[in-house]
Amino acid sequence: MVPSPQADAGGDDRGRRFAECFRVHYSRVLAYGLRRSLDRAAAEDAAAETFLVAWRRFDDAPSEPLPWLLAIARNVIFNETRSVRRRDRMAARLAAERLVLGEQSAAGLNHEGSDDSAANARTVRMALERLGDRDREILLLSSWDGLSARRAAAALGCSPGTFAVRLHRARARFARALNALSPSKPSTSEELR
């Protein structure tokens, strides 16, 4: 949320200048975010964060603030994108470890009982990282979150039939990625269920 300029000591000159800056440049900052994001809500969040940073540093603002605001917006978007990538990688690692541990439990193995468990986890993680975001999300919703096809489809905003087709394709791509990483151990889509 962008701070209210009136909250600043009775709406002094700094507050009025900031309000004017916001009025004049908000649409340009939002447009900048929209050009870099497919999601309007994310662009609006980036614009709000940009003006929050600008409010905090407004005493350092140049006389022509638009380039300064766009530089702030670029950094805000970059930081958010980096955070999302980090979260996705962490989710993929956790899902890979869960898949491997689940396979070990099904086989009656414990963590210490398998010399290959760390190698298997790395291989599964690398295979997941090779997938596109959509395939990874589908596999994670199904395997990690344990959602039924109906619930996973609702989470993705598609029909259960569409989800089933996407899950089948994602499993096939995951199997190919696993095979590419460890060709001596053939994987099939059936093993991923």
Side-chain angles (χ1 to χ4, degrees):
M1 182 174 164
V2 177
S4 167
Q6 285 72 29
D8 184 56
D12 68 0
D13 185 52
R14 181 179 188 271
R16 283 189 297 279
R17 287 184 301 115
F18 181 80
E20 179 65 11
C21 176
F22 181 85
R23 186 188 65 72
V24 170
H25 299 295
Y26 177 80
S27 62
R28 297 284 301 272
V29 172
L30 178 61
Y32 180 87
L34 287 169
R35 285 191 303 273
R36 281 151 184 79
S37 172
L38 299 177
D39 182 359
R40 182 167 183 87
E44 289 172 348
D45 288 347
E49 181 69 20
T50 296
F51 279 96
L52 181 62
V53 171
W55 173 252
R56 290 180 189 144
R57 297 177 32 208
F58 198 63
D59 293 333
D60 300 329
S63 59
E64 175 48 48
L66 183 60
W68 177 70
L69 291 168
L70 295 180
I72 294 170
R74 184 183 68 240
N75 289 334
V76 165
I77 292 167
F78 174 76
N79 288 337
E80 180 58 27
T81 302
R82 187 176 54 190
S83 294
V84 167
R85 270 191 249 124
R86 218 175 318 160
R87 281 191 302 266
D88 287 348
R89 283 193 304 267
M90 177 60 77
R93 277 195 299 277
L94 291 172
E97 290 169 12
R98 182 174 182 256
L99 287 172
V100 169
L101 292 175
E103 290 169 7
Q104 289 174 354
S105 296
L109 300 173
N110 62 25
H111 309 325
E112 298 84 25
S114 173
D115 294 333
D116 294 331
S117 66
N120 288 341
R122 277 193 302 277
T123 302
V124 171
R125 186 178 326 121
M126 288 169 44
L128 280 170
E129 288 174 354
R130 288 183 172 195
L131 298 177
D133 291 339
R134 187 167 94 173
D135 286 344
R136 189 171 34 252
E137 178 70 12
I138 287 167
L139 290 172
L140 293 176
L141 284 172
S142 177
S143 297
W144 176 259
D145 296 315
L147 296 182
S148 66
R150 182 183 56 77
R151 293 177 72 201
L156 293 176
C158 65
S159 72
T162 300
F163 178 80
V165 170
R166 289 178 183 173
L167 178 61
H168 174 76
R169 291 176 181 164
R171 285 176 173 162
R173 284 189 277 270
F174 181 67
R176 285 193 297 274
L178 276 177
N179 284 335
L181 292 168
S182 57
S184 63
K185 295 181 182 179
S187 297
T188 64
S189 297
E190 206 57 42
E191 292 175 1
L192 300 174
R193 292 178 194 220

